[in-house]
Amino acid sequence: MGERTIIPFGPQHPVLPEPLHLDLIMEDEKVVGAVPSIGFVHRGLEKLVEKRDFNEMIYVIERICGICSFIHGQSYAQTLEGLMGVDIPPRAKYLRTIWAELSRVHSHLLWLGLMADAYGFESLFMHCWRIREKVLDIFEETTGGRVIFSVCKIGGVWKDIDNDTLNRIKVIVKDIGEEAKAVTDVFVRDYSVQKRTRGIGVVTYQEAIDLGAVGPTLRGSGVVQDMRTLGYAAYGDLNFEPIVEKDGDCYARTVVRVREVYQSLDLIRQCIEKIPDGEVDMKVKGNPSGEYISRMEQPRGQTFYYAKGNGTKYLERFRVRTPTFANIPTLLKILPGADLADVPVLALTIDPCISCTER
Amino acid sequence: MAFNVINKTIMKSLFSKPATAMYPVIKNEFYPNTRGSIEMAKIENCSFCGICSKRCPATAIEVGKSDKKWEIDRTRCIVCNFCVQVCPKNCLNTQRSYTAPMRDKSSKLFTAYGPVVQEVNSGTAAQENHTQVGTAEEDA
Ligand code: SF4
Ligand code: SF4
C-alpha cells in the first residue's frame, strides 16, 4: 500500500471554469477519496427576494448562472405565473422555447469545448466555440444581450422576433447543425478521445437513481427522465423523445450532450414552423400569494423552483435547487478509483456550475 | 475514410475567412438591439418622478425631485434595461456602445448633464458635483 497524499484541486485550476475545490486523497496515482468544499462565490440571492419587488427579481434570478441565464428567468417567470394563475399568450411560449433551446445548444457546445480542453485537444475546443459564437450572435440580434438577455418577464416576453428574422434563424440553425457535424464526429468516433472517455467514471442505472443525478448525467446511465416531457411552455406541441444512452460512462454522457445539440436544433426548427401570431405579453395584476413549485429542464439537468408569496409585492420564501447541486454526489461516487489524470475529465463530465450551486 | 474527413476540414480551414476579427483595425459591429450603457436621452421630458430609481434592481440610479438630479452609477448598473422599460416619459435610452472602462479607482457617476468623478468613500461628493453643470469633464 502506498503512502497517502492529499492534493488540493481547484478552486483555481486550468481545467476548471468554476471555483470548485476538491481535496483529492491519493494513494500513488489513484484517487481513493474526494472531499468537496463549495462556498467561494455565495451571493445570497434567495434572501434578496425579501428586499426586491417580485417583478424586479427576475433580473436578479437571471444572474444565478450565466450559461442557463435565460432558463432561470423562464423558470422564475413560470413559477410566478403559476402562483398568480396567469396563462401567457401562445406566441410568448414559443419564443421562450426558442430562446431556451438556443441556450441549450450554446451551453452544450461550450461544454464540449471545455471537455476537449480537458483532454488537451485545443483545436477542437476552438472549433466548438467558433460554432457557438453564431448562437450568441442570434441572441445579441434578437434580445440585445449576448449572455444575459433580460427578455423574459412575468406575463410573457419583452421583445418579439418578427417572422422574417425567424426564417433567417431557421437557416442559421441549419448551418450550425452542418458545421457541428464535423466537430461532434470527433467526440463520437475519434480513437484517442474514446480512449479518454470509454469505461471511465461508470455510474450504473441504479446508482444514478439512488444518488439523485439529473440531466445528461442521469440520461447517460439509461434513465429516461426529461422535464421537457412535462409539456411546459411550447414543449407540449413539439415532437421529441428524451435522449438516453446505456453505458453510464464519460463517453455516454458526452454522446447524450452531442445528440441533444441536434435535438435542440430540431426543436427550434419545429417551433419556427409552428409559431402562432399574436401578442407576446400581457398585463399581470395583483401580488402573488400561496405556494407553487415548478420543474424545468436546463442544459445541465432538472432545476426545481419553489416560491411562497404572502399577498405583498415581496415574496416570503424562494428556493432554487440547481442541477449541479444534485450532481455533486455522483461526482464524489465516480472519483474514488480513478487515475489522477482522469480527474479533470470526471469533474467536467457532470458539467459543474458552481455559481448556480451557491446562488 | 477518416483521412478524407480530415482533408476536407483542412481544405475548408485553409480557404475560408478567419473566424476572429482583426480587432483594432476592424471594430465589432453592434446590432440595432444591442444593449450597451444606459443614457438619459431627453432630460427635458423627465419629470423626476423617480420610478426608474425605485424599480432599478441594482439601485444604480438616484433621482432628486427637488433639486432636479438624475444620476447613474454605471459601475453598479447590470444593464437589465428595466429602467428604460418603466420610464413613463420614455426619456431613457440604451446606447449601442458599452460603458467605457474606468482608468482610476474612483467610481464615475454619470449625471443627466455629463459625467462627474466621485471620490471613493465620499458619499457627499455626488451632491456637490452635480451642481457644477457645464464644468463636467468629457466622457473617458
Ligand atoms: S422614470 Fe423617467 S421620467 Fe421618471 S425620473 Fe426616471 S427618467 Fe425621469
Ligand atoms: S439598466 Fe437595470 S440596473 Fe441599470 S440602471 Fe437601469 S434598472 Fe438599474
Side-chain angles (χ1 to χ4, degrees), chain A residues 216-283:
Chain A
T217 315
L218 182 65
R219 290 196 287 276
S221 298
V223 186
V224 188
Q225 192 208 61
D226 190 329
M227 287 305 126
R228 286 177 288 175
T229 48
L230 294 178
Y232 63 85
Y235 290 111
D237 307 345
L238 305 177
N239 195 3
F240 70 103
E241 288 283 320
I243 282 169
V244 176
E245 289 285 326
K246 292 269 175 325
D247 297 345
D249 53 2
C250 289
Y251 180 74
R253 292 191 275 276
T254 310
V255 173
V256 168
R257 289 191 174 100
V258 166
R259 288 175 59 201
E260 278 189 3
V261 171
Y262 297 107
Q263 182 193 42
S264 293
L265 294 175
D266 183 54
L267 286 175
I268 297 165
R269 187 188 53 75
Q270 288 187 33
C271 277
I272 295 176
E273 278 164 9
K274 288 188 182 166
I275 189 166
D277 289 329
E279 292 292 306
V280 294
D281 69 342
M282 56 187 291
K283 251 198 140 41

Side-chain angles (χ1 to χ4, degrees), chain A residues 56 59 63 150, chain B residues 35-38 51-53 55-61 70-74 76-86 92 94:
Chain A
E56 285 162 28
Y59 301 110
R63 279 148 179 91
S150 306
Chain B
R35 278 203 318 274
S37 50
I38 302 291
I51 292 181
C52 53
S53 160
R55 292 310 201 110
C56 173
T59 55
I61 302 182
W70 187 93
E71 285 172 349
I72 176 166
D73 184 348
R74 287 201 185 143
R76 295 188 74 152
C77 172
I78 55 174
V79 205
C80 64
N81 223 22
F82 200 32
C83 51
V84 179
Q85 276 145 350
V86 295
L92 294 178
T94 12

Side-chain angles (χ1 to χ4, degrees), chain B:
Chain B
M1 174 60 200
F3 192 67
N4 283 342
V5 175
I6 289 178
N7 274 347
K8 219 172 114 195
T9 314
I10 291 174
M11 281 308 178
K12 223 168 140 196
S13 305
L14 272 181
F15 296 108
S16 59
K17 248 179 30 189
T20 46
M22 303 289 286
Y23 165 61
V25 184
I26 302 165
K27 294 243 160 67
N28 190 10
E29 286 235 350
F30 294 113
Y31 293 96
N33 264 339
T34 302
R35 278 203 318 274
S37 50
I38 302 291
E39 64 166 0
M40 167 60 88
K42 299 194 200 102
I43 185 73
E44 61 281 5
N45 290 356
C46 179
S47 59
F48 300 96
C49 60
I51 292 181
C52 53
S53 160
K54 273 188 223 113
R55 292 310 201 110
C56 173
T59 55
I61 302 182
E62 210 172 302
V63 179
K65 197 167 176 101
S66 53
D67 50 0
K68 297 215 176 316
K69 172 180 87 170
W70 187 93
E71 285 172 349
I72 176 166
D73 184 348
R74 287 201 185 143
T75 52
R76 295 188 74 152
C77 172
I78 55 174
V79 205
C80 64
N81 223 22
F82 200 32
C83 51
V84 179
Q85 276 145 350
V86 295
C87 176
K89 307 271 180 182
N90 291 328
C91 45
L92 294 178
N93 190 12
T94 12
Q95 288 173 312
R96 274 167 64 189
S97 60
Y98 296 123
T99 311
M102 316 259 159
R103 291 188 191 141
D104 47 21
K105 279 191 176 170
S106 58
S107 83
K108 223 166 211 182
L109 279 175
F110 289 74
T111 69
Y113 309 101
V116 290
V117 175
Q118 177 200 27
E119 288 306 318
V120 183
N121 299 333
S122 86
T124 54
Q127 276 131 30
E128 285 160 17
N129 275 338
H130 96 272
T131 50
Q132 308 168 348
V133 180
T135 59
E137 61 166 85
E138 280 299 301
D139 191 345

